[in-house]
Amino acid sequence: MVEKKEFQNNEEIAWCPGCGNFSIHATLQGALADLDLEPHQVVISSGIGQAAKMPHYLKINGFNGLHGRALPVGTALAAVRKDLKVIVESGDGDIYGEGGNHFLHAFRRNPDLALFVHNNQVYGLTKGQASPTSELGMKTGVQVKGVSNLPLNPLLVALAGGASFVARSFAGDRKHLQEMMKEAIQHKGFAFLDILQPCVTFNKINTFKWYKDRVYYLEEDHEKGNWEQAVRRAQEWGDRIPLGIFFRQERNVFAGDFPELSREEVFDPRERIYCWPEVLENFK
Amino acid sequence: MMFNIRVGGEAGQGMNTIGTLLAKSLLRLGYHVFTSKDYMSRIRGGHNYSDVRFSPEPQQSGTEKVDILLALNEETWEIHRNTLGDEGIVVFDQDDFSPEGQGPKKKGISLKKKAEEIGDRRIGGVIALGLIHKMLGLDLKQFKKVLEEKFSGEILEKNLQGLDWGYAEGEPIFSVSEGKGLKGTKLISGNDAIGLGALVGGVQFYSAYPMTPSTGVLNFLASQGERFNILVEQAEDEIAAINMALGASFGGVRAMTGTSGGGFSLMVEGVGLAGITETPLVILNAQRPGPATGLPTRTEQGDLGFVIHAAQGEFPRIVLAPRGVSEAFYQTIRALNLADRYQLPVIILSDQFLGDSEQTVMEFDPEKVKIDRGKLIKTHEEETPYLRYKFTEDGISPRLIPGEKGEVVLADSDEHNQAGNIIEDSETRSKMVEKRMKRMETIKEEMEPPLYEGPDPQNADFILVSWGANYGPVEEGRKALEEDGFKLGHYSFQDIWPLPGGNWEKTLQTKPWILIENNYSGQLGSLLKQNGTGSPEVFIRKYDGRPFTGDEIKRRIKEEVGPRG
């Protein structure tokens, strides 16, 4: 039985007091412990931003790479190290903005990993500029007349692109969030979980209360295999925002036929090269 | 004896296939063969040609002179007629056009019409090759074997019929020295040699976005992936390609990515990521002329300065520029070992000339292949917890494969402490920079000095200086000039960065030297100058997108320094 505290480390956490990241941080530990995963069995690949600091604040394997590039790193890791659980964790600016192209192609490729996007609808680390999901009209130091670009609907994009698991949760509802995280981690293939997260410092519109007043659970009888229905529900935004698994479908996983390499095989690739001179026959 | 056959036509006429079949036949007849390709960035039309050069002696260069021109259309005749010497001959489809004007000998033959008569319009090229074999007095036996391995049934029968018919149409007009019956030789392109080096060197993950002229490596590895457990993935862009490769490498497997200059430009931030996370990675940059899209299918040595400085900040890296096809194989394996041993990015700087040229190589030697993973460890036996960036004497920390019970591995693109956690304090920052940079000293010691050929440098009139695959053309030019009484030495650099030490420094300070580079500004020259060599006496450069040839080197050196002997 794995306990939450096994994931704790002593790093000083640099998030603002009251940040939604704290609850995501605590919930993730609970989800991993619940799934009986030990720190050495999990890798978090993250990009840049406040959310992307997650691997520093846990005792866990981590690759804190470049802005926007957490998905390619995680994709390859999941493919060559099938013995590890890969979680890609970053913010809305990182995944939907800087890394948008990788987000699009992850649906098609379907790598066996879980993507957790801390979606606070604003840029935190660079101090309050609009993100791809910021509401129309939101004023910032850059968008001085208010945001005029349409906000991206990441769930709808994921559904249109063929994602095999699309879900949404809310940092203010830890019970639901933990359930969603567990479902995503257990999904065989690309599991996308958008996590609504209040930013107490920079987003004065989408506050804890704003979300709390709007979120509700998708009905128990929501058909998770029904794509058209998922597309319809994913368009709900505004007064009522549904949470839950919108869509789930099993399909071929990226590099599914690539063998599971043990750490020994990873270390020593020599075994397989003894027959290489045969390849040279093509060149005579 | 050197003999050059040029096959020209428009894209889609099968010049590559014709060239390959001819080259294979010559290889099996015991010749050293060198092929090069000149093609346009289009799928149909335009003008493309392939050269197949052969000799009983080793060679690594193309030539300006053509002995047999197989002109598959009239344009080929117009463009290349002046390359034919007095002894040269043009072979053409007599039903298609008739080469006008004085000059070289001409031999018309029915190609398309005869091919259709036999019943397969694709065999025109084989008919022409039958004729060419007869002209050269070469036996068809080996050629037939090549065809038998490639085709079967009715298609084979038609090919053989065409071949025999073409052979009967010609008469022996050239007398070529016999091949030496070389055993076990292979004809391999630079790109395939790099792919083969990656395979034998233990690469288990290769991600790339297709970009000429690097795509051959992606194709080769994809063709072998399933058999050798190499995961080959076409990424959505080069940024994804390099980041995927880094993810795989962090996971412990040997990983590599490949591109050309434009793609490398997109990868640059990833190069820095490999630098600060100390993640081993081999990156192939097969150069083509830039900037931006440049000349997609042509060659240049324009990226040297770029790759040694690419990415912000300071971190160690290694740059290797293979001299030829055989070296492309061994240097790729070496690059993988160096990347693992020093935990940094290693860049293989190739170009279209090397990548697309095929060259006869003696059998690659399995005994020479050693895999050295440096300080990669399966288990952490020292005191816990494991520290990914532990300070060590040589600046290299043990690199644990993630997944060991009780231990975790953290890599970070931010400046970090020994555990991999973000820091900003000045003391740790300084120590980390020093830890990373101090590896440069050890690396420099093991960089190989440039290969020297020629008389004792003190007795040479001039020292030629080249790098990468220019070795072949420059060396051929040097030898030809030697026959004319010139006394020339030749330093050919393969290890580019960090620049190796050696006698060359003193030699170039004291002797006049001639810099030869396939670019405008003399990028290796600038690097040498920084090392105190002063400037070259003469700079022979070329930036038209075409490779140097041996005869061109000879001609241009003569033009620059006057007659000797």
Side-chain angles (χ1 to χ4, degrees):
Chain A
M1 200 48 210
V2 179
E3 289 185 57
K4 271 180 71 170
K5 63 170 194 249
E6 291 178 44
F7 291 94
Q8 281 164 15
N9 71 1
N10 299 321
E11 283 299 300
E12 185 204 342
I13 295 184
W15 293 323
C16 309
C19 177
N21 280 331
F22 284 101
S23 97
I24 300 174
H25 177 249
T27 310
L28 177 61
Q29 295 171 58
L32 293 171
D34 255 19
L35 291 172
D36 230 11
L37 288 164
E38 294 181 63
H40 74 277
Q41 296 172 312
V42 186
V43 191
I44 294 181
S45 166
S46 71
I48 298 299
Q50 295 297 1
K53 291 177 181 167
M54 187 65 82
H56 291 284
Y57 304 149
L58 292 170
K59 187 188 174 199
I60 204 159
N61 293 302
F63 191 96
N64 181 188
L66 297 174
H67 191 37
R69 316 305 167 198
L71 270 171
V73 169
T75 297
L77 250 173
V80 299
R81 291 297 306 280
K82 295 186 166 155
D83 54 333
L84 299 173
K85 274 282 172 206
V86 177
I87 296 169
V88 172
E89 195 147 12
S90 247
D92 42 328
D94 188 280
I95 299 290
Y96 306 147
E98 187 90 13
N101 199 25
H102 314 308
F103 183 55
L104 284 185
H105 291 276
F107 315 142
R108 301 175 48 228
R109 200 173 265 126
N110 203 30
D112 188 15
L113 59 82
L115 168 66
F116 298 160
V117 183
H118 303 205
N119 182 3
N120 58 9
Q121 303 183 255
V122 75
Y123 278 44
L125 192 58
T126 52
K127 301 194 195 294
Q129 300 83 5
S131 92
T133 50
S134 294
E135 305 273 344
L136 275 175
M138 183 169 104
K139 286 190 177 171
T140 81
V142 175
Q143 287 75 25
V144 288
K145 291 195 270 182
V147 169
S148 59
N149 294 354
L150 283 179
L152 186 84
N153 182 333
L155 277 72
L156 208 50
V157 172
L159 286 165
S164 62
F165 179 106
V166 177
R168 182 194 284 136
S169 190
F170 170 43
D173 184 347
R174 287 188 47 184
K175 189 161 173 279
H176 184 261
L177 179 59
Q178 181 156 327
E179 221 30 61
M180 289 299 107
M181 283 180 163
K182 282 165 65 180
E183 293 280 356
I185 292 168
Q186 286 176 294
H187 175 71
K188 191 84 190 142
F190 179 68
F192 165 47
L193 175 62
D194 184 66
I195 304 168
L196 301 175
Q197 173 216 358
C199 173
V200 291
T201 308
F202 296 112
N203 192 335
K204 305 297 185 195
I205 300 169
N206 312 102
T207 58
F208 181 84
K209 184 173 184 307
W210 188 93
Y211 288 119
K212 195 80 192 159
D213 289 347
R214 287 164 173 79
V215 296
Y216 75 97
Y217 301 140
L218 283 171
E219 305 72 27
E220 293 236 327
D221 60 359
H222 171 73
E223 290 175 57
K224 296 180 182 68
N226 186 332
W227 186 81
E228 280 83 7
Q229 205 174 95
V231 167
R232 196 166 51 77
R233 301 305 294 271
Q235 291 173 67
E236 284 183 42
W237 185 267
D239 290 344
R240 285 180 43 88
I241 303 172
L243 304 180
I245 299 171
F246 287 70
F247 184 70
R248 178 161 60 192
Q249 184 187 53
E250 292 277 321
R251 61 179 178 85
N252 284 346
V253 167
F254 172 58
D257 54 358
F258 190 71
E260 175 165 344
L261 302 172
S262 69
R263 298 170 73 235
E264 277 66 29
E265 286 165 313
V266 161
F267 183 83
D268 187 359
R270 240 167 310 189
E271 277 302 313
R272 69 199 174 85
I273 64 179
Y274 289 133
C275 53
W276 69 269
E278 286 170 37
V279 181
L280 285 170
E281 290 304 296
N282 299 329
F283 299 104
K284 74 173 201 306
Chain B
M1 193 285 300
M2 294 275 191
F3 205 91
N4 188 31
I5 300 160
R6 181 165 295 175
V7 185
E10 62 179 58
Q13 281 192 308
M15 275 72 64
N16 269 348
T17 313
I18 299 171
T20 302
L21 290 172
L22 176 61
K24 279 182 180 269
S25 174
L26 292 164
L27 179 79
R28 295 186 190 191
L29 287 163
Y31 292 102
H32 282 275
V33 182
F34 183 90
T35 76
S36 52
K37 292 183 182 67
D38 186 297
Y39 57 104
M40 295 178 74
S41 183
R42 52 195 288 177
I43 305 301
R44 287 281 182 273
H47 176 69
N48 293 357
Y49 67 91
S50 287
D51 274 10
V52 179
R53 196 178 184 216
F54 68 100
S55 164
E57 306 303 326
Q59 34 146 354
Q60 291 191 37
S61 168
T63 174
E64 293 177 329
K65 184 175 152 276
V66 176
D67 299 295
I68 297 178
L69 175 66
L70 172 55
L72 296 176
N73 59 11
E74 192 162 12
E75 188 188 18
T76 304
W77 160 248
E78 295 299 339
I79 293 173
H80 299 280
R81 56 190 297 176
N82 294 330
T83 61
L84 282 161
D86 296 339
E87 299 301 310
I89 186 165
V90 56
V91 175
F92 59 96
D93 190 337
Q94 62 190 25
D95 309 317
D96 193 18
F97 73 97
S98 173
E100 300 294 325
Q102 299 296 308
K105 289 180 269 187
K106 294 157 190 161
K107 170 70 186 172
I109 180 170
S110 181
L111 297 178
K112 260 176 256 166
K113 227 178 193 176
K114 188 68 198 175
E116 274 162 21
E117 196 184 305
I118 292 172
D120 188 339
R121 49 203 300 269
R122 290 166 302 183
I123 64 169
V126 170
I127 296 174
L129 292 179
L131 173 75
I132 288 170
H133 272 69
K134 182 69 159 287
M135 286 175 162
L136 295 167
L138 298 174
D139 198 281
L140 280 186
K141 207 169 71 192
Q142 295 300 335
F143 199 152
K144 287 184 175 170
K145 268 193 201 159
V146 174
L147 289 175
E148 280 159 15
E149 288 165 22
K150 197 173 160 68
F151 304 112
S152 64
E154 206 182 329
I155 297 176
L156 174 65
E157 286 311 312
K158 285 174 180 165
N159 269 281
L160 292 174
Q161 200 186 331
L163 185 69
D164 283 331
W165 186 84
Y167 190 80
E169 284 293 291
E171 45 195 295
I173 51 170
F174 293 101
S175 124
V176 295
S177 318
E178 236 178 273
K180 290 185 175 170
L182 306 160
K183 281 268 182 294
T185 53
K186 300 284 182 285
L187 187 69
I188 300 185
S189 71
N191 275 343
D192 284 344
I194 289 167
L196 202 56
L199 184 155
V200 175
V203 163
Q204 285 178 292
F205 186 87
Y206 187 86
S207 46
Y209 185 89
M211 184 169 188
T212 309
S214 68
T215 314
V217 178
L218 176 61
N219 286 337
F220 175 81
L221 288 171
S223 75
Q224 303 299 326
E226 192 162 5
R227 184 167 173 201
F228 291 96
N229 285 347
I230 306 168
L231 181 52
V232 178
E233 178 64 357
Q234 180 178 325
E236 55 270 27
D237 55 35
E238 287 86 349
I239 299 173
I242 192 167
N243 281 281
M244 281 183 185
L246 284 169
S249 180
F250 174 74
V253 306
R254 281 202 153 169
M256 183 168 162
T257 181
T259 184
S260 188
F264 192 91
S265 299
L266 290 187
M267 289 185 181
V268 164
E269 195 183 14
V271 176
L273 180 63
I276 197 165
T277 59
E278 304 185 39
T279 307
L281 183 65
V282 174
I283 309 157
L284 164 70
N285 177 1
Q287 299 163 100
R288 70 191 215 188
T293 310
L295 291 170
T297 60
R298 305 196 180 274
T299 201
E300 194 162 272
Q301 294 184 307
D303 296 353
L304 186 149
F306 173 46
V307 302
I308 65 177
H309 296 299
Q312 75 275 26
E314 298 168 298
F315 58 92
R317 76 190 75 192
I318 295 172
V319 180
L320 308 174
R323 265 181 210 109
V325 171
S326 180
E327 290 88 344
F329 172 75
Y330 289 111
Q331 293 305 316
T332 301
I333 299 163
R334 179 168 167 243
L336 290 159
N337 286 338
L338 287 169
D340 259 339
R341 285 179 42 221
Y342 292 103
Q343 302 178 8
L344 43 58
V346 179
I347 296 155
I348 299 173
L349 198 53
S350 164
D351 51 36
Q352 184 267 333
F353 170 56
L354 174 61
D356 285 339
S357 297
E358 294 164 303
Q359 196 180 307
T360 301
V361 292
M362 310 313 275
E363 192 86 68
F364 289 134
D365 185 0
E367 294 300 310
K368 281 199 205 163
V369 177
K370 299 270 184 296
I371 291 182
D372 180 357
R373 304 222 58 188
K375 290 195 190 176
L376 183 69
I377 50 171
K378 281 179 280 188
T379 50
H380 172 62
E381 276 155 10
E382 290 171 46
E383 80 278 17
T384 198
Y386 165 76
L387 299 172
R388 171 64 191 94
Y389 302 107
K390 192 181 165 84
F391 294 127
T392 57
E393 197 84 353
D394 57 6
I396 307 166
S397 321
R399 188 166 74 95
L400 179 64
I401 300 175
E404 182 182 351
K405 194 172 168 63
E407 300 289 354
V408 294
V409 185
L410 179 62
D412 190 9
S413 71
D414 298 88
E415 189 58 278
H416 41 255
N417 59 21
Q418 296 186 76
N421 288 116
I422 301 179
I423 58 93
E424 295 197 28
D425 69 282
S426 68
E427 191 192 335
T428 314
R429 159 68 181 178
S430 301
K431 281 174 91 170
M432 272 298 159
V433 171
E434 288 153 16
K435 163 192 165 22
R436 288 191 291 268
M437 293 307 287
K438 78 161 91 164
R439 284 175 288 172
M440 223 42 189
E441 295 312 309
T442 335
I443 297 165
K444 200 172 160 73
E445 280 167 28
E446 80 163 82
M447 289 293 100
E448 291 167 7
L451 180 71
Y452 181 79
E453 305 216 40
D456 185 314
Q458 292 318 309
N459 301 328
D461 300 326
F462 286 95
I463 309 289
L464 310 180
V465 175
S466 75
W467 63 275
N470 258 357
Y471 167 77
V474 173
E475 193 48 24
E476 184 173 309
R478 187 191 70 79
K479 282 183 182 150
L481 286 163
E482 228 168 36
E483 286 171 20
D484 288 0
F486 285 77
K487 288 200 189 81
L488 299 172
H490 176 199
Y491 280 119
S492 133
F493 284 82
Q494 180 164 263
D495 288 9
I496 304 288
W497 186 265
L499 203 59
N503 295 333
W504 64 270
E505 291 172 279
K506 217 173 205 149
T507 308
L508 296 188
Q509 279 162 14
T510 52
K511 300 291 291 186
W513 53 289
I514 300 175
L515 177 66
I516 303 169
E517 294 195 53
N518 219 306
N519 58 41
Y520 181 86
S521 57
Q523 300 184 13
L524 178 71
S526 305
L527 205 56
L528 300 183
K529 206 170 165 182
Q530 284 171 24
N531 275 254
T533 59
S535 298
E537 200 86 357
V538 175
F539 176 27
I540 293 176
R541 59 184 171 169
K542 187 168 182 171
Y543 39 85
D544 61 356
R546 275 71 179 171
F548 281 110
T549 62
D551 36 16
E552 179 187 6
I553 295 287
K554 176 182 165 180
R555 176 170 53 76
R556 291 186 60 178
I557 289 177
K558 270 189 168 173
E559 280 167 14
E560 293 286 350
V561 305
R564 276 287 187 288

